[in-house]
Amino acid sequence: MASSLCCSNPPNLSATSGEGTVVDDFGGIKSYIAGSVDSKRAVILISDVYGFEAPNLRKIADKVAACGYFVVVPDFIHGDPFKLDDSTRPFPVWLQSHTTEKGFEEAKPVVAALKEKGASSVGAAGYCWGAKVVTELAKAAEIQAAVLLHPSLVSVDDIRDVKCPIAILGAETDHLSPPELVKQYEEALAEKSEVDYFVKIFPGVAHGWAVRYKADDTTAVQKADEARNDMVEWFNKHLV
């Protein structure tokens, strides 16, 4: 994960992007929220290493919210996104301050806050770094549905331990979760008759395609839209 592939195409972060609202405390975490607070179905979107101010991520949150969900995008990296051009703080050093274990522990109160506000079901989707956090939530049965998009740091043993329906959307070009590893995920899930799953490898895309696409690249936008639609369909199926 310390490779340039993980962190390529960094977004131009914007604290004011999106049609939703930033709140200082949702389950103890500053968060971007979108959608009706009265919705009984909630989705947590967990960012990659660039955090919750990424305009594409907030755009995805807005579109998921438009499908009837209350969406929360927590700032699990606490205003400290990875900076690709900071040679004094390479990725392994940054990651020491932002472990996925810490993200998981901070995510549990967010799930609890959603349930306290009346959500009957909670799903979570994560990109790259965030996919590992979602996997941990799925292993702990904290959520009712999970989606991993170009995941990293996720082992086959992790997948064997998930306890809720899970969709895994991989890229054709991704040495963090190459197609061979994604197929191993699928094989592990096939052994778990009690867990519904969906696995798809997107042709012609690379790690990060689902959230770090360029808005002026029509093909890239179409592929990202396809991933978002697959995610929403999965939540539609499993969140009631």
Side-chain angles (χ1 to χ4, degrees):
M1 175 141 179
S3 70
S4 59
L5 178 62
C6 161
C7 308
S8 61
N9 299 322
N12 294 317
L13 302 179
S14 172
T16 60
S17 61
E19 300 174 4
T21 304
V22 174
V23 296
D24 288 330
D25 184 345
F26 195 98
I29 301 290
K30 186 175 183 179
S31 301
Y32 176 83
I33 61 173
S36 172
V37 294
D38 296 323
S39 176
K40 298 299 183 182
R41 300 185 300 168
V43 168
I44 304 169
L45 294 184
I46 304 182
S47 75
D48 61 13
V49 299
Y50 291 111
F52 87 134
E53 291 184 355
N56 285 352
L57 181 61
R58 291 189 177 185
K59 187 180 297 183
I60 292 167
D62 293 340
K63 290 185 176 181
V64 174
C67 296
Y69 295 93
F70 179 66
V71 182
V72 182
V73 188
D75 180 20
F76 288 134
I77 58 176
H78 301 279
D80 183 33
F82 176 67
K83 295 178 176 62
L84 188 61
D85 58 357
D86 184 358
S87 60
T88 66
R89 198 182 186 201
F91 185 78
V93 176
W94 181 91
L95 189 59
Q96 290 174 10
S97 300
H98 302 288
T99 66
T100 53
E101 292 82 3
K102 180 181 177 184
F104 167 57
E105 291 301 325
E106 292 183 340
K108 288 188 285 187
V110 174
V111 175
L114 287 167
K115 292 179 178 178
E116 288 171 6
K117 82 159 196 66
S120 58
S121 57
V122 178
Y127 301 82
C128 186
W129 179 95
K132 172 63 171 175
V133 179
V134 171
T135 302
E136 293 301 317
L137 290 170
K139 288 164 59 178
E142 289 278 343
I143 54 177
Q144 283 67 60
V147 181
L148 314 184
L149 301 101
H150 42 85
S152 62
L153 303 172
V154 177
S155 70
V156 175
D157 284 341
D158 284 331
I159 296 300
R160 289 193 179 104
D161 289 339
V162 300
K163 295 179 175 63
C164 72
I166 185 168
I168 303 173
L169 308 182
E172 180 181 21
T173 303
D174 189 342
H175 74 259
L176 299 170
S177 291
E180 295 79 13
L181 179 57
V182 174
K183 289 175 182 176
Q184 290 180 45
Y185 295 158
E186 186 172 21
E187 291 167 0
L189 290 167
E191 299 172 359
K192 296 170 64 69
S193 59
E194 73 280 11
V195 173
D196 193 16
Y197 67 92
F198 173 75
V199 177
K200 180 176 178 179
I201 297 172
F202 283 66
V205 300
H207 183 87
W209 98 94
V211 71
R212 294 204 299 269
Y213 58 88
K214 299 299 183 184
D216 58 356
D217 184 333
T218 302
T219 300
V221 171
Q222 289 175 343
K223 291 290 188 179
D225 285 349
E226 183 180 348
R228 187 193 71 248
N229 289 336
D230 287 344
M231 174 176 66
V232 170
E233 288 179 9
W234 191 249
F235 289 144
N236 288 345
K237 180 179 181 181
H238 291 289
L239 300 182
V240 295

